[in-house]
Amino acid sequence: MSQGRGLPITEHTGRPWRIHEIAADFQVLDVWAFRAPGSGPEDFPVMMAAIQAAEEHEPLVVRFLFAVRWKLGALLGWDDPQEGLAAGGRVTPLCERLPDDLRQPISGTSMPGMPFTYLYTLPDERAMELANKTVHGVAHHSWVATENGDYELRMAVLVKTNGSFGRAYMAAIAPFRHLIVYPAMTRQWERAWRDRHELLSQSGTEQT
């Protein structure tokens, strides 16, 4: 059974993540977590790699919702390059705010098959951004010790909405995020962690 659950916003804001200094003017919208049984402090990159390897098995309902979203975006111009992070686009990329110690070869590069751009990766946190006509957003993953010695994966969603249109859009999709997308996402995390050795072996990225 999935151990995914929503958490209070303070579970993100109260920890010393590096994203705070980069996206201080963004609102923390949601925080979601999945406890990974038997995990240790060094398993964050394993978890991230397993999730990436499992993406082709993404739940059908999530794939459908995102397909509808991207189709609407294409029809209505929500995702046009000038609305996003491209040169001369609507927003200034957060990559430009990165301090020198967080600038990495992946910073500012696109994530394969996803509308996100990498910001940085550390041993216990990773951040990526996207922008379109509705929001400038950040997905922040972190690796947190639990009271029983295991670790859990957390994802915080940070946004800066684009005026009243962006606020209305985020309010409209809130039920889908909370009732469908996040629960399905954490079930995928559960499968990725459970099957991590097989998934990483198949993808050629087995980690020890």
Side-chain angles (χ1 to χ4, degrees), residues 92-105:
T92 301
L94 288 177
C95 277
E96 296 189 11
R97 302 185 186 182
L98 290 175
D100 290 342
D101 66 317
L102 282 184
R103 292 188 182 276
Q104 302 166 348

Side-chain angles (χ1 to χ4, degrees), residues 20-41:
H20 299 324
E21 65 193 85
I22 299 161
D25 51 339
F26 281 58
Q27 174 192 2
V28 182
L29 196 65
D30 299 305
V31 183
W32 212 261
F34 161 71
R35 184 163 297 181
S39 56

Side-chain angles (χ1 to χ4, degrees), residues 158-175:
L158 294 75
V159 299
K160 184 184 288 187
T161 55
N162 184 18
S164 57
F165 171 65
R167 290 191 294 273
Y169 172 82
M170 295 306 295
I173 68 170

Side-chain angles (χ1 to χ4, degrees), residues 53-76:
E55 281 178 357
E56 62 185 73
H57 306 295
E58 191 172 56
L60 181 61
V61 64
V62 175
R63 278 186 285 166
F64 172 76
L65 287 173
F66 277 103
V68 171
R69 163 60 184 85
W70 304 138
K71 185 64 174 179
L72 283 173
L75 290 173
L76 300 176

Side-chain angles (χ1 to χ4, degrees), residues 110 181 189:
S110 298
V181 175
W189 291 356

Side-chain angles (χ1 to χ4, degrees), residues 99-165:
D100 290 342
D101 66 317
L102 282 184
R103 292 188 182 276
Q104 302 166 348
I106 64 167
S107 299
T109 62
S110 298
M111 297 189 68
M114 299 182 70
F116 286 95
T117 295
Y118 284 110
L119 285 172
Y120 63 86
T121 295
L122 297 173
D124 61 352
E125 65 174 302
R126 182 184 78 171
M128 50 194 183
E129 68 175 322
L130 64 72
N132 52 46
K133 193 172 184 177
T134 61
V135 297
H136 186 185
V138 174
H140 179 269
H141 293 95
S142 58
W143 197 236
V144 178
T146 66
E147 67 280 357
N148 68 354
D150 287 334
Y151 276 69
E152 65 182 17
L153 176 66
R154 296 183 178 181
M155 185 183 78
V157 177
L158 294 75
V159 299
K160 184 184 288 187
T161 55
N162 184 18
S164 57
F165 171 65

